[in-house]
Amino acid sequence: MAMKTVWIVLLCLFVIAQADQGGFDVRHHLSTVTRYSVSKDVTQNLIEGSNVPSECTPIHLNLVARHGTRSPTKKRLRELESLAGRLKELVRDAEARNLPSDKIPGWLGKWVSPWQGKVKGGELIRQGEDELYQLGVRVRERFPTLFEEDYHPDVYTIRATQIPRASASAVAFGMGLFSEKGDLGPVRNRAFAVTSENRASDTKLRFFECCQNYKSYRKAKEPAVDKLKEPVLNKITASVVKRHGLSFTKQDVSSLWFLCKQEASLLNVTNQSCELFTPSEVALLEWADDLEVFILKGYGNSLNYKMGVPLLEDVLHSMEEAIKAREENLPPGSYEKARLRFAHAETIVPFSCLLGLFLDASEFEKIQKEKPLELPPQPPKTRDFKGSTMAPFGANNMLVLYSCPAASSPKYFVQVLHNEHPIAVPGCDGKDFCPLEDFKAKVVTPHLKHAFDNLCNANLDDPKQNHPSV
């Protein structure tokens, strides 16, 4: 009976602890390092069910996707190698000071980087391959009439940047999309084409590398962003030092937070570096990461997303071509039915901003007038701009063009899906589904004031040039 009482008490304590943390799972708070499987069903700004009438038929699909989960980059691999030596040094220092052993996390002194000896990084890992493969399978199952035809590269256009993790993501997606559609091997794969443009001139998917004014802005702004994040790192460093008695520096804490994100996202390990931080500290570190995304890639500056207009124009052009083919009754197999693109967080975030995602109506009006938005509020206040939902690994926006019965007016509609779910679009009056003409007038046209070359390569200091504020 006494043993039963002990178990009941322990269970109650566990429930209370979970309640105090709100069922906290660090894997949901990793900003743009979040895994797709963790993020894709988060309901932020999503619309339950579908507003698409059953009599409407999808006739074209545009996809803009980020690559899947990848390994740390070469520079970060070196940082983790250095961290291993630094942690051993901290433990030796603590032992020399006779710090109680229960204050020192058991894993700390013997930690070795899981990527030790690895000299190249940044590649798509197996989880990332599976994310994109499964996405391809689900897209085909969701839109069977779009993908019922035999494959032809002009019917199903697949584009990726020249960066290997993006093209590998395109291949993984295509293997899922066209699985059992060919005769290659026991699973009946088929070959398909993935095209890339030179990274120096890819204004549709790597506009951030082609835009000289953006590169100048980013270089100039990065120190200010670091300054904004500094109070958070200082506060958390002091707390971690006090809690564990170890002589962590601000740089140590920054590296440990990076390690936490890699361990939790890539390895599903949450009981080592991540446990150095409390849930409230994780929330602050996540906010600091999101702040950087907001200022350098998102709504923090109109140049961040205006430079993505060539991609938005390409999306609209593909829809207009699909409508033209339908109006001219072209035979199946003679026109494009899907344009599928694979790129980076620096692509998906600006593109989401061009669509006005995760904004309310007043904020959407501001960005169309090229007015600055307030920075995302610091926790515990809530915010809509989160890297974990806007641009996790494998993040995607789909714009599906529908044809509705001739009796209806208008005839063509667009549905916007974010990470496979209908999402509120301010330019569509807060709906996910609206007439194409409304989408063009309220979402696309206001962004077309500036040509890419004028925006990106002209002298922004020249008062004769008409540019958005930066």
Side-chain angles (χ1 to χ4, degrees):
M1 186 69 177
M3 182 61 74
K4 183 177 180 182
T5 303
V6 170
W7 277 111
I8 290 172
V9 170
L10 288 172
L11 180 61
C12 289
L13 288 172
F14 174 77
V15 171
I16 291 169
Q18 288 295 102
D20 286 344
Q21 293 193 8
F24 183 82
D25 185 341
V26 69
R27 289 169 295 188
H28 289 268
H29 300 274
L30 306 178
S31 192
T32 58
V33 186
T34 304
R35 288 263 298 272
Y36 187 65
S37 59
V38 171
S39 174
K40 85 177 187 70
D41 292 325
V42 173
T43 57
Q44 181 188 342
N45 285 56
L46 301 181
I47 295 173
E48 290 297 320
S50 175
N51 293 318
V52 180
S54 58
E55 62 269 20
C56 295
T57 305
I59 62 170
H60 189 274
L61 182 144
N62 271 284
L63 169 72
V64 180
R66 185 189 179 194
H67 59 75
T69 302
R70 61 163 170 82
S71 71
T73 60
K74 184 178 179 179
K75 179 181 176 182
R76 291 297 205 169
L77 290 173
R78 290 198 298 268
E79 180 182 341
L80 292 175
E81 292 279 3
S82 299
L83 179 63
R86 173 65 179 153
L87 294 180
K88 289 178 176 60
E89 178 186 318
L90 286 167
V91 171
R92 285 195 299 269
D93 172 69
E95 290 171 344
R97 291 185 287 113
N98 295 316
L99 191 73
S101 59
D102 61 347
K103 295 269 282 184
I104 306 172
W107 63 273
L108 209 63
K110 56 190 177 185
W111 183 79
V112 175
S113 170
W115 300 277
Q116 185 181 34
K118 190 172 164 58
V119 293
K120 293 184 180 292
E123 79 282 3
L124 192 70
I125 63 172
R126 289 186 178 184
Q127 293 104 311
E129 292 177 5
D130 189 61
E131 286 163 351
L132 272 296
Y133 177 85
Q134 296 298 339
L135 177 62
V137 170
R138 290 193 299 271
V139 166
R140 186 179 73 182
E141 290 175 347
R142 183 170 189 160
F143 302 105
T145 57
L146 284 179
F147 297 99
E148 61 190 0
E149 293 179 21
D150 288 340
Y151 168 77
H152 189 281
D154 293 339
V155 178
Y156 303 114
T157 306
I158 306 177
R159 297 175 179 170
T161 69
Q162 278 194 322
I163 307 303
R165 56 181 170 269
S167 54
S169 294
V171 170
F173 179 92
M175 290 179 71
L177 186 69
F178 302 120
S179 58
E180 300 182 355
K181 287 275 194 174
D183 297 309
L184 297 176
V187 292
R188 295 175 47 224
N189 282 325
R190 70 148 303 140
F192 52 88
V194 177
T195 59
S196 296
E197 190 168 336
N198 187 296
R199 58 191 294 177
S201 58
D202 189 354
T203 58
K204 294 185 179 72
L205 295 181
R206 286 189 68 84
F207 40 79
F208 50 91
E209 192 167 358
C210 304
C211 186
Q212 294 304 316
N213 287 331
Y214 170 71
K215 290 198 286 189
S216 298
Y217 159 76
R218 179 165 183 151
K219 184 178 180 180
K221 198 72 175 176
E222 281 173 345
V225 172
D226 290 340
K227 200 77 175 170
L228 282 171
K229 295 166 65 173
E230 193 171 357
V232 168
L233 278 173
N234 286 337
K235 178 182 178 181
I236 293 172
T237 299
S239 296
V240 174
V241 167
K242 184 178 180 181
R243 199 156 51 241
H244 296 287
L246 295 162
S247 303
F248 290 119
T249 64
K250 185 174 61 176
Q251 180 56 53
D252 293 333
V253 168
S254 178
S255 295
L256 285 164
W257 171 235
F258 174 75
L259 174 60
C260 166
K261 291 186 289 187
Q262 300 302 308
E263 286 187 330
S265 185
L266 279 63
L267 308 176
N268 239 14
V269 173
T270 60
N271 62 350
Q272 290 191 158
S273 53
C274 292
E275 284 200 341
L276 292 173
F277 307 107
T278 66
S280 61
E281 289 166 354
V282 167
L284 279 172
L285 289 163
E286 178 194 20
W287 170 80
D289 285 347
D290 288 349
L291 191 67
E292 181 173 334
V293 175
F294 183 89
I295 295 171
L296 298 181
K297 299 175 188 172
Y299 290 118
N301 186 304
S302 63
L303 180 61
N304 293 346
Y305 49 89
K306 292 289 184 185
M307 64 178 172
V309 164
L311 171 57
L312 185 63
E313 289 178 314
D314 186 58
V315 167
L316 180 62
H317 177 70
S318 69
M319 292 182 186
E320 291 173 337
E321 288 294 301
I323 291 171
K324 181 181 177 184
R326 188 173 183 86
E327 297 287 340
E328 294 177 358
N329 290 315
L330 295 183
S334 65
Y335 57 91
E336 184 184 82
K337 299 188 80 171
R339 192 168 294 187
L340 312 163
R341 308 167 186 83
F342 300 86
H344 309 274
E346 293 86 351
T347 313
I348 196 81
V349 172
F351 185 65
S352 296
C353 292
L354 286 169
L355 299 177
L357 304 188
F358 303 102
L359 295 181
D360 61 29
S362 63
E363 290 171 324
F364 182 66
E365 187 176 337
K366 278 186 178 180
I367 71 155
Q368 295 209 314
K369 293 178 179 177
E370 296 170 1
K371 293 181 179 178
L373 297 185
E374 296 292 324
L375 295 177
Q378 190 173 129
K381 291 181 179 178
T382 59
R383 66 185 184 279
D384 285 333
F385 190 95
K386 286 192 170 186
S388 60
T389 48
M390 181 178 266
F393 289 125
N396 56 85
N397 288 322
M398 285 186 265
L399 285 83
V400 190
L401 178 65
Y402 281 86
S403 173
C404 295
S408 74
S409 183
K411 187 176 180 182
Y412 296 102
F413 288 76
V414 177
Q415 184 186 34
V416 180
L417 306 173
H418 178 71
N419 294 345
E420 304 175 67
H421 294 281
I423 188 167
V425 180
C428 288
D429 298 324
K431 299 173 183 173
D432 63 302
F433 185 75
C434 70
L436 175 61
E437 291 306 312
D438 287 358
F439 181 82
K440 286 165 65 175
K442 297 178 183 179
V443 177
V444 180
T445 302
H447 292 306
L448 304 183
K449 302 172 189 173
H450 311 283
F452 181 84
D453 282 341
N454 288 340
L455 187 71
C456 286
N457 301 317
N459 181 6
L460 288 183
D461 294 326
D462 185 352
K464 295 177 183 178
Q465 296 287 347
N466 180 26
H467 298 293
S469 59
V470 295

Short mmCIF file of all heavy atoms in Angstrom, two decimals, residues 132-167:
data_model
loop_
_atom_site.label_atom_id
_atom_site.label_comp_id
_atom_site.label_asym_id
_atom_site.label_seq_id
_atom_site.Cartn_x
_atom_site.Cartn_y
_atom_site.Cartn_z
N LEU A 132 11.31 15.50 -47.84
CA LEU A 132 10.93 15.92 -49.19
C LEU A 132 10.30 14.79 -49.99
O LEU A 132 9.38 15.01 -50.78
CB LEU A 132 12.14 16.51 -49.91
CG LEU A 132 12.40 18.00 -49.70
CD1 LEU A 132 11.26 18.84 -50.28
CD2 LEU A 132 12.61 18.39 -48.26
N TYR A 133 10.78 13.56 -49.77
CA TYR A 133 10.17 12.41 -50.45
C TYR A 133 8.70 12.28 -50.05
O TYR A 133 7.81 12.14 -50.91
CB TYR A 133 10.94 11.14 -50.09
CG TYR A 133 10.34 9.87 -50.68
CD1 TYR A 133 10.67 9.46 -51.97
CD2 TYR A 133 9.44 9.10 -49.95
CE1 TYR A 133 10.12 8.31 -52.52
CE2 TYR A 133 8.88 7.95 -50.49
CZ TYR A 133 9.23 7.56 -51.77
OH TYR A 133 8.67 6.42 -52.31
N GLN A 134 8.45 12.33 -48.75
CA GLN A 134 7.07 12.18 -48.26
C GLN A 134 6.20 13.35 -48.71
O GLN A 134 5.01 13.18 -48.99
CB GLN A 134 7.06 12.06 -46.73
CG GLN A 134 7.76 10.82 -46.19
CD GLN A 134 7.13 9.52 -46.65
OE1 GLN A 134 5.97 9.48 -47.07
NE2 GLN A 134 7.90 8.44 -46.61
N LEU A 135 6.78 14.55 -48.78
CA LEU A 135 6.03 15.70 -49.29
C LEU A 135 5.60 15.45 -50.73
O LEU A 135 4.44 15.72 -51.11
CB LEU A 135 6.88 16.97 -49.19
CG LEU A 135 6.25 18.25 -49.76
CD1 LEU A 135 4.98 18.62 -49.00
CD2 LEU A 135 7.26 19.41 -49.70
N GLY A 136 6.51 14.92 -51.54
CA GLY A 136 6.17 14.60 -52.92
C GLY A 136 5.03 13.59 -53.03
O GLY A 136 4.11 13.74 -53.85
N VAL A 137 5.07 12.57 -52.17
CA VAL A 137 4.00 11.56 -52.16
C VAL A 137 2.66 12.22 -51.80
O VAL A 137 1.63 11.98 -52.45
CB VAL A 137 4.33 10.43 -51.15
CG1 VAL A 137 3.12 9.51 -50.95
CG2 VAL A 137 5.53 9.63 -51.64
N ARG A 138 2.68 13.06 -50.76
CA ARG A 138 1.43 13.69 -50.30
C ARG A 138 0.86 14.67 -51.33
O ARG A 138 -0.36 14.75 -51.50
CB ARG A 138 1.65 14.39 -48.96
CG ARG A 138 1.87 13.45 -47.79
CD ARG A 138 1.76 14.18 -46.45
NE ARG A 138 2.75 15.25 -46.32
CZ ARG A 138 3.97 15.07 -45.82
NH1 ARG A 138 4.36 13.86 -45.42
NH2 ARG A 138 4.81 16.10 -45.71
N VAL A 139 1.74 15.40 -52.01
CA VAL A 139 1.26 16.34 -53.03
C VAL A 139 0.55 15.59 -54.15
O VAL A 139 -0.52 16.01 -54.62
CB VAL A 139 2.45 17.19 -53.57
CG1 VAL A 139 2.04 17.93 -54.84
CG2 VAL A 139 2.90 18.19 -52.52
N ARG A 140 1.13 14.49 -54.59
CA ARG A 140 0.49 13.71 -55.65
C ARG A 140 -0.86 13.15 -55.20
O ARG A 140 -1.84 13.15 -55.95
CB ARG A 140 1.40 12.57 -56.09
CG ARG A 140 0.85 11.80 -57.30
CD ARG A 140 1.79 10.69 -57.73
NE ARG A 140 1.77 9.58 -56.79
CZ ARG A 140 2.53 8.49 -56.91
NH1 ARG A 140 3.38 8.40 -57.93
NH2 ARG A 140 2.47 7.52 -56.04
N GLU A 141 -0.91 12.68 -53.94
CA GLU A 141 -2.16 12.12 -53.43
C GLU A 141 -3.23 13.21 -53.25
O GLU A 141 -4.42 12.94 -53.43
CB GLU A 141 -1.91 11.43 -52.08
CG GLU A 141 -1.10 10.14 -52.22
CD GLU A 141 -0.74 9.54 -50.87
OE1 GLU A 141 -0.90 10.24 -49.83
OE2 GLU A 141 -0.28 8.38 -50.84
N ARG A 142 -2.79 14.40 -52.93
CA ARG A 142 -3.74 15.50 -52.68
C ARG A 142 -4.31 16.06 -53.98
O ARG A 142 -5.46 16.49 -54.03
CB ARG A 142 -3.05 16.61 -51.90
CG ARG A 142 -3.95 17.76 -51.52
CD ARG A 142 -3.26 18.68 -50.55
NE ARG A 142 -4.15 19.68 -50.00
CZ ARG A 142 -3.93 20.35 -48.88
NH1 ARG A 142 -2.83 20.12 -48.19
NH2 ARG A 142 -4.79 21.26 -48.45
N PHE A 143 -3.47 16.07 -55.04
CA PHE A 143 -3.90 16.63 -56.32
C PHE A 143 -3.74 15.60 -57.43
O PHE A 143 -2.95 15.78 -58.36
CB PHE A 143 -3.08 17.88 -56.63
CG PHE A 143 -3.17 18.96 -55.59
CD1 PHE A 143 -2.11 19.19 -54.71
CD2 PHE A 143 -4.31 19.74 -55.47
CE1 PHE A 143 -2.19 20.18 -53.75
CE2 PHE A 143 -4.41 20.73 -54.51
CZ PHE A 143 -3.35 20.95 -53.63
N PRO A 144 -4.48 14.50 -57.35
CA PRO A 144 -4.28 13.41 -58.32
C PRO A 144 -4.52 13.83 -59.77
O PRO A 144 -3.83 13.36 -60.67
CB PRO A 144 -5.29 12.34 -57.87
CG PRO A 144 -6.30 13.07 -57.05
CD PRO A 144 -5.56 14.18 -56.39
N THR A 145 -5.47 14.75 -60.02
CA THR A 145 -5.75 15.13 -61.41
C THR A 145 -4.62 15.95 -62.02
O THR A 145 -4.47 15.98 -63.25
CB THR A 145 -7.06 15.93 -61.50
OG1 THR A 145 -6.98 17.09 -60.65
CG2 THR A 145 -8.25 15.07 -61.06
N LEU A 146 -3.83 16.60 -61.18
CA LEU A 146 -2.70 17.38 -61.71
C LEU A 146 -1.54 16.48 -62.11
O LEU A 146 -0.73 16.85 -62.96
CB LEU A 146 -2.22 18.39 -60.67
CG LEU A 146 -3.06 19.65 -60.46
CD1 LEU A 146 -2.43 20.53 -59.37
CD2 LEU A 146 -3.22 20.44 -61.75
N PHE A 147 -1.44 15.31 -61.48
CA PHE A 147 -0.26 14.46 -61.69
C PHE A 147 -0.62 13.11 -62.30
O PHE A 147 0.09 12.13 -62.11
CB PHE A 147 0.48 14.29 -60.37
CG PHE A 147 1.01 15.59 -59.82
CD1 PHE A 147 0.33 16.27 -58.82
CD2 PHE A 147 2.16 16.15 -60.34
CE1 PHE A 147 0.80 17.48 -58.33
CE2 PHE A 147 2.65 17.36 -59.86
CZ PHE A 147 1.96 18.03 -58.86
N GLU A 148 -1.70 13.07 -63.07
CA GLU A 148 -2.11 11.80 -63.69
C GLU A 148 -1.45 11.58 -65.04
O GLU A 148 -1.46 10.47 -65.57
CB GLU A 148 -3.64 11.78 -63.86
CG GLU A 148 -4.18 12.89 -64.76
CD GLU A 148 -5.70 13.00 -64.71
OE1 GLU A 148 -6.31 12.21 -63.96
OE2 GLU A 148 -6.27 13.86 -65.40
N GLU A 149 -0.85 12.62 -65.62
CA GLU A 149 -0.27 12.48 -66.95
C GLU A 149 1.14 11.88 -66.88
O GLU A 149 1.79 11.90 -65.84
CB GLU A 149 -0.19 13.86 -67.63
CG GLU A 149 -1.56 14.43 -67.96
CD GLU A 149 -1.46 15.79 -68.61
OE1 GLU A 149 -0.38 16.12 -69.15
OE2 GLU A 149 -2.45 16.54 -68.57
N ASP A 150 1.59 11.36 -68.01
CA ASP A 150 2.97 10.89 -68.10
C ASP A 150 3.91 12.06 -67.90
O ASP A 150 3.63 13.20 -68.30
CB ASP A 150 3.23 10.26 -69.48
CG ASP A 150 2.53 8.91 -69.64
OD1 ASP A 150 2.20 8.31 -68.59
OD2 ASP A 150 2.31 8.49 -70.78
N TYR A 151 5.03 11.76 -67.29
CA TYR A 151 6.00 12.83 -66.99
C TYR A 151 6.59 13.41 -68.27
O TYR A 151 6.96 12.68 -69.20
CB TYR A 151 7.14 12.29 -66.12
CG TYR A 151 8.30 13.27 -66.03
CD1 TYR A 151 8.21 14.38 -65.21
CD2 TYR A 151 9.43 13.10 -66.84
CE1 TYR A 151 9.24 15.31 -65.16
CE2 TYR A 151 10.47 14.02 -66.79
CZ TYR A 151 10.37 15.13 -65.96
OH TYR A 151 11.39 16.03 -65.92
N HIS A 152 6.66 14.72 -68.31
CA HIS A 152 7.44 15.44 -69.31
C HIS A 152 7.98 16.68 -68.61
O HIS A 152 7.26 17.33 -67.83
CB HIS A 152 6.60 15.84 -70.53
CG HIS A 152 7.42 16.39 -71.64
ND1 HIS A 152 7.91 17.69 -71.66
CD2 HIS A 152 7.88 15.81 -72.79
CE1 HIS A 152 8.62 17.87 -72.75
NE2 HIS A 152 8.62 16.76 -73.47
N PRO A 153 9.26 17.05 -68.86
CA PRO A 153 9.85 18.19 -68.14
C PRO A 153 9.16 19.52 -68.40
O PRO A 153 9.30 20.45 -67.61
CB PRO A 153 11.30 18.21 -68.64
CG PRO A 153 11.30 17.41 -69.90
CD PRO A 153 10.24 16.38 -69.74
N ASP A 154 8.42 19.63 -69.51
CA ASP A 154 7.68 20.87 -69.77
C ASP A 154 6.31 20.87 -69.10
O ASP A 154 5.68 21.93 -69.00
CB ASP A 154 7.51 21.08 -71.28
CG ASP A 154 8.83 21.33 -71.99
OD1 ASP A 154 9.79 21.74 -71.30
OD2 ASP A 154 8.91 21.10 -73.20
N VAL A 155 5.86 19.70 -68.69
CA VAL A 155 4.57 19.61 -67.99
C VAL A 155 4.78 19.75 -66.49
O VAL A 155 4.01 20.43 -65.79
CB VAL A 155 3.87 18.27 -68.32
CG1 VAL A 155 2.54 18.15 -67.55
CG2 VAL A 155 3.61 18.17 -69.82
N TYR A 156 5.84 19.12 -65.99
CA TYR A 156 6.18 19.20 -64.56
C TYR A 156 7.60 19.77 -64.46
O TYR A 156 8.59 19.04 -64.53
CB TYR A 156 6.08 17.82 -63.92
CG TYR A 156 4.72 17.19 -64.09
CD1 TYR A 156 4.54 16.05 -64.87
CD2 TYR A 156 3.60 17.77 -63.49
CE1 TYR A 156 3.28 15.48 -65.04
CE2 TYR A 156 2.34 17.21 -63.66
CZ TYR A 156 2.18 16.07 -64.44
OH TYR A 156 0.94 15.52 -64.60
N THR A 157 7.67 21.09 -64.32
CA THR A 157 8.95 21.78 -64.29
C THR A 157 9.51 21.74 -62.87
O THR A 157 8.84 22.14 -61.92
CB THR A 157 8.75 23.26 -64.71
OG1 THR A 157 8.09 23.29 -65.98
CG2 THR A 157 10.09 23.97 -64.81
N ILE A 158 10.73 21.26 -62.74
CA ILE A 158 11.38 21.17 -61.42
C ILE A 158 12.67 21.99 -61.46
O ILE A 158 13.56 21.73 -62.27
CB ILE A 158 11.71 19.71 -61.04
CG1 ILE A 158 10.45 18.85 -61.12
CG2 ILE A 158 12.29 19.65 -59.63
CD1 ILE A 158 10.68 17.38 -60.84
N ARG A 159 12.74 22.98 -60.58
CA ARG A 159 13.89 23.86 -60.55
C ARG A 159 14.48 23.88 -59.14
O ARG A 159 13.75 23.79 -58.16
CB ARG A 159 13.49 25.28 -60.95
CG ARG A 159 12.98 25.39 -62.37
CD ARG A 159 12.48 26.79 -62.67
NE ARG A 159 12.00 26.91 -64.06
CZ ARG A 159 11.33 27.96 -64.52
NH1 ARG A 159 11.10 28.99 -63.73
NH2 ARG A 159 10.93 27.98 -65.78
N ALA A 160 15.78 24.01 -59.06
CA ALA A 160 16.47 24.12 -57.77
C ALA A 160 17.63 25.08 -57.92
O ALA A 160 18.10 25.35 -59.03
CB ALA A 160 16.99 22.75 -57.32
N THR A 161 18.09 25.62 -56.81
CA THR A 161 19.30 26.43 -56.86
C THR A 161 20.49 25.51 -57.09
O THR A 161 20.37 24.28 -57.01
CB THR A 161 19.50 27.22 -55.55
OG1 THR A 161 19.84 26.31 -54.50
CG2 THR A 161 18.26 28.01 -55.19
N GLN A 162 21.64 26.11 -57.34
CA GLN A 162 22.84 25.31 -57.60
C GLN A 162 23.45 24.72 -56.33
O GLN A 162 24.40 23.95 -56.41
CB GLN A 162 23.89 26.17 -58.31
CG GLN A 162 23.66 26.29 -59.81
CD GLN A 162 24.88 26.84 -60.52
OE1 GLN A 162 25.57 27.71 -59.99
NE2 GLN A 162 25.15 26.34 -61.72
N ILE A 163 22.91 25.06 -55.17
CA ILE A 163 23.43 24.52 -53.92
C ILE A 163 22.98 23.07 -53.78
O ILE A 163 21.78 22.77 -53.89
CB ILE A 163 22.94 25.36 -52.72
CG1 ILE A 163 23.25 26.84 -52.95
CG2 ILE A 163 23.55 24.86 -51.42
CD1 ILE A 163 24.71 27.15 -53.19
N PRO A 164 23.90 22.12 -53.54
CA PRO A 164 23.55 20.69 -53.58
C PRO A 164 22.38 20.28 -52.68
O PRO A 164 21.59 19.42 -53.06
CB PRO A 164 24.87 20.00 -53.15
CG PRO A 164 25.93 20.94 -53.61
CD PRO A 164 25.37 22.31 -53.42
N ARG A 165 22.24 20.87 -51.48
CA ARG A 165 21.13 20.43 -50.61
C ARG A 165 19.77 20.81 -51.20
O ARG A 165 18.78 20.14 -50.92
CB ARG A 165 21.28 21.01 -49.21
CG ARG A 165 21.39 22.51 -49.10
CD ARG A 165 21.54 22.94 -47.65
NE ARG A 165 21.88 24.35 -47.50
CZ ARG A 165 23.11 24.83 -47.45
NH1 ARG A 165 24.14 24.00 -47.52
NH2 ARG A 165 23.33 26.13 -47.29
N ALA A 166 19.73 21.87 -52.03
CA ALA A 166 18.48 22.24 -52.68
C ALA A 166 18.17 21.29 -53.83
O ALA A 166 17.03 20.81 -53.98
CB ALA A 166 18.54 23.68 -53.16
N SER A 167 19.17 20.99 -54.66
CA SER A 167 18.93 20.08 -55.78
C SER A 167 18.66 18.66 -55.28
O SER A 167 17.83 17.94 -55.84
CB SER A 167 20.09 20.10 -56.77
OG SER A 167 21.31 19.85 -56.13
#
